[in-house]
Amino acid sequence: METYGIIGAMDVEVALWREALAQRTDTAIGDRLFSEGFLGDARCVVVQCGVGMVNAAACTQALIDRFAVSCVINTGIAGSLDASIDIGDVVVATDAVNWVMDVQNLGYAAGQTPGLPQAALVADARLREAALKAACTAGARAHEGRVASGDLFVRRNADKSRIAETFGARCCEMEGAAVAQVCTVNHVPFAIVRAISDKADGSAAVDYPTFEAQAAHDCAALTQAMVALLATSAHATDHR
């Protein structure tokens, strides 16, 4: 049986996941609470990582080491970097890049971490397909594309333009690339699913409080549907 690791940054989305788990047990590791249980036939481990790259990386490694998850799904919200992606839309990551990482003076590409083969870390195709199918079923307006992550809440048009132009990213947030890096070095498949809560252009002071809760709720519901699809597919494969 596969075990699905679910990482969220926010209280709202992780609370929705915890409420949905049957036969739930909680394990504290440091300041993080890891909740094991079942969503239908799917065994899941859910955790709130907190905001930022260090929190996300530490949480992902603990999830892999302690619970031996088969894959990791990072759910949350993001700011749009693409005019065609609006508030309330969903972005399913094709790959993720740490836009803050910069050691180009040593011959690395923009965003490339030394020791990794490339800047953009590729999400698992099977998980992406399930996320897109779940979004379609839910009637969400879904997009695929690169997610850019870094320890900055992007709110200036100059930063927004630079990230979009340099990396070809479609949205920005603060955890996904860290999750992707830890999963990549541990050879664990991953997916990143983001609901758009703001336009990353300075209007967040108005938009973010309004749309944060709804975006988090929508993303949690979408990833629950995604896991159900994955579990059904795995069950069918096991019985062939």
Side-chain angles (χ1 to χ4, degrees), residues 128-194:
R128 284 166 46 198
E129 181 181 358
L132 290 168
K133 187 173 181 179
C136 182
T137 301
R141 189 164 179 259
H143 311 261
E144 285 191 283
R146 178 167 295 167
V147 171
S149 311
D151 284 321
L152 175 71
F153 190 110
V154 177
R155 56 193 176 274
R156 292 182 292 267
N157 277 314
D159 290 329
K160 177 178 177 177
S161 297
R162 179 168 65 86
I163 297 166
E165 291 168 8
T166 302
F167 299 102
R170 306 197 74 187
C171 69
C172 57
E173 38 83 291
M174 301 177 70
E175 294 85 28
V179 174
Q181 181 172 335
V182 174
C183 286
T184 297
V185 300
N186 284 279
H187 308 289
V188 174
F190 72 89
I192 301 166
V193 181
R194 290 289 183 269

Side-chain angles (χ1 to χ4, degrees), residues 6-233:
I6 315 296
I7 298 177
M10 296 166 45
D11 289 331
V12 176
E13 58 194 320
V14 174
L16 289 167
W17 262 101
R18 287 191 172 122
E19 290 169 8
L21 291 178
Q23 303 177 47
R24 174 181 148 192
T25 60
D26 294 332
T27 303
I29 302 176
D31 290 337
R32 301 285 172 249
L33 188 68
F34 294 76
S35 298
E36 296 178 79
F38 289 86
L39 183 71
D41 293 331
R43 181 175 179 267
C44 303
V45 184
V46 181
V47 61
Q48 181 183 358
C49 67
V51 176
M53 302 284 274
V54 174
N55 279 330
C59 191
T60 305
Q61 192 65 58
L63 186 62
I64 292 170
D65 288 344
R66 183 69 173 267
F67 300 96
V69 293
S70 308
C71 62
V72 172
I73 301 167
N74 180 214
T75 174
I77 59 175
S80 174
L81 298 175
D82 184 326
S84 69
I85 301 177
D86 207 352
I87 291 171
D89 289 359
V90 171
V91 175
V92 177
T94 52
D95 52 19
V97 62
N98 179 353
W99 71 266
V100 177
M101 180 62 67
D102 187 351
V103 284
Q104 294 179 77
N105 59 309
L106 297 181
Y108 294 93
Q112 184 178 4
T113 298
L116 295 179
Q118 68 275 328
L121 303 173
V122 179
D124 180 74
R126 180 177 72 101
L127 299 179
R128 284 166 46 198
E129 181 181 358
L132 290 168
K133 187 173 181 179
C136 182
T137 301
R141 189 164 179 259
H143 311 261
E144 285 191 283
R146 178 167 295 167
V147 171
S149 311
D151 284 321
L152 175 71
F153 190 110
V154 177
R155 56 193 176 274
R156 292 182 292 267
N157 277 314
D159 290 329
K160 177 178 177 177
S161 297
R162 179 168 65 86
I163 297 166
E165 291 168 8
T166 302
F167 299 102
R170 306 197 74 187
C171 69
C172 57
E173 38 83 291
M174 301 177 70
E175 294 85 28
V179 174
Q181 181 172 335
V182 174
C183 286
T184 297
V185 300
N186 284 279
H187 308 289
V188 174
F190 72 89
I192 301 166
V193 181
R194 290 289 183 269
I196 299 301
S197 61
D198 64 271
K199 301 290 278 186
D201 61 0
S203 64
V206 175
D207 292 337
Y208 194 84
T210 304
F211 293 103
E212 177 191 44
Q214 186 60 51
H217 184 280
D218 291 347
C219 208
L222 188 154
T223 51
Q224 287 177 19
M226 173 187 172
V227 167
L229 285 170
L230 289 165
T232 298
S233 175

